[in-house]
Each structure stands twice: as structure tokens, then as C-alpha cells.
Amino acid sequence: MVNDHFVMWNAGNLGDRRPQFRAAWEPALGGGKFSARASVGLSGAIQNVDRDANGVLDGAQSGNPIYQARIGWAGPLWVEKQNLDIGFWGHYAQEEIDTAIVDNEEFDSWSAGADLTVPIIKDLFWKSEIWTGTNLPEVRGGIAQGINVAGEEIDAWGGWTELSYRPWSWLLSGAGYALDNPDNDDL
């Protein structure tokens, strides 16, 4: 909400759109709704990197899709018509090249994170997300730095938080902060 038109890619918010096959299971549970979602999609579709210039994207060359999953629960808390929402999620993908970078031809990409939405009072809510992972450009993390010149994956962590208030149905205002912090020793 705070950055309505800027999605904070490579600045604290992971994720992007891509064609994918997705399955979901969302039964009612404890006055709310449990959700389990999993998807597979084309690996390499976002960063479009071909490090060895062989005409095949490194993610596609691995022969493996990107796997993504999230489990969560959303349900009423103490605030009328607003739900608590909590989730845990992650992804796994691989990249492969023909010409090794310092003896490495295969690179893993993974992330694990959590998200939380908490209603505080009517029309005032807090949202937050935190994550950690390695080689994250494919999911818009690690300030777009995935593999260093030594042929090693770059680790990173980050997230974002915001406090939003809707005083009228037509106005939503808020303040927030985002952070994407790659490991300086890996850069």
C-alpha cells in the first residue's frame, strides 16, 4: 500500500509474476481459512540470464522449474471485518551453465520467509514480511546480485513493514520501510 506503484523489487519485497501451474487447498479452519498453495514455473523467466552465451537461459538449461509454496491462515481477530493473516513461504530453483565460473556450473536459488497482516483497530493495520535466501535475482531479491565472480551464490536477507490507515473508504494512507541486504562478504 505504501509504495502503490513501486513494488520494492530488489529493495525488500520478493516475488514477481510468471506463467505457472498452481494448485491450492483452502479449507475452513478455526473460524478462518487455512491455505496451502504450491506452484511450478519457468526458471530463468525473470532475470533472463545466459552467462555462457550458448543461447539458452541458465534457469531453463538446468532442466528444473522454479518451485514455490506458501502455507497460511487467515481469520478474524479482535477487529470487526478485518482478518489476521499469517503465512510461511519459500522457493527453490537452479541455474546451469556450460562454461564454469571457477569450477562451478550449477547454482541453487532458494528463499524462505514469513508474512503477517495484523488489524490493530478498525481501518488501521500493520503488514510485514521477512525473508532470507541465496541467489535471489529470479525472485527480485539480493539487490539483483545472484552469483559473484568467484562462482559463489550471494546470500541475502530482508523484508518490509508498513502501517496503514483508512480514515475514509476512498483514502488509504501509510508509512513503511523496506530492506534488501546481501551479505557483503559475498559481493
Side-chain angles (χ1 to χ4, degrees):
M1 298 296 182
V2 172
N3 294 303
D4 189 30
H5 299 289
F6 179 67
V7 293
M8 298 180 292
W9 287 336
N10 299 308
N13 187 29
L14 295 189
D16 203 335
R17 298 175 303 274
R18 74 183 77 233
Q20 60 185 241
F21 173 77
R22 183 176 8 178
W25 180 55
E26 298 179 333
L29 179 68
K33 183 168 65 171
F34 172 80
S35 67
R37 300 176 185 155
S39 68
V40 294
L42 177 62
S43 182
I46 302 303
Q47 63 176 347
N48 295 314
V49 173
D50 181 11
R51 289 178 185 86
D52 52 7
N54 67 353
V56 180
L57 299 178
D58 298 345
Q61 185 170 328
S62 75
N64 295 307
I66 182 171
Y67 301 97
Q68 297 173 299
R70 181 185 186 272
I71 59 168
W73 182 84
L77 199 56
W78 54 81
V79 180
E80 181 182 337
K81 296 182 181 178
Q82 292 185 4
N83 287 337
L84 169 75
D85 190 343
I86 185 168
F88 302 93
W89 48 266
H91 95 277
Y92 178 78
Q94 289 182 314
E95 295 176 281
E96 185 176 317
I97 56 177
D98 289 334
T99 306
I101 301 174
V102 191
D103 298 327
N104 291 327
E105 295 178 346
E106 294 180 351
F107 306 96
D108 292 331
S109 171
W110 66 267
S111 67
D115 57 84
L116 178 67
T117 299
V118 179
I120 299 170
I121 59 173
K122 186 175 182 334
D123 297 322
L124 177 68
F125 48 94
W126 173 58
K127 291 183 176 185
S128 193
E129 178 176 293
I130 189 165
W131 52 264
T132 186
T134 191
N135 187 15
L136 298 172
E138 186 63 18
V139 291
R140 306 284 190 181
I143 64 169
Q145 305 297 307
I147 300 168
N148 63 24
V149 295
E152 300 167 341
E153 294 98 344
I154 296 172
D155 295 332
W157 65 272
W160 57 270
T161 189
E162 71 181 30
L163 187 64
S164 299
Y165 179 60
R166 185 183 308 276
W168 301 284
S169 63
W170 51 269
L171 177 65
L172 177 67
S173 61
Y177 181 80
L179 175 69
D180 189 334
N181 186 24
D183 185 339
N184 292 339
D185 293 335
D186 291 346
L187 296 176

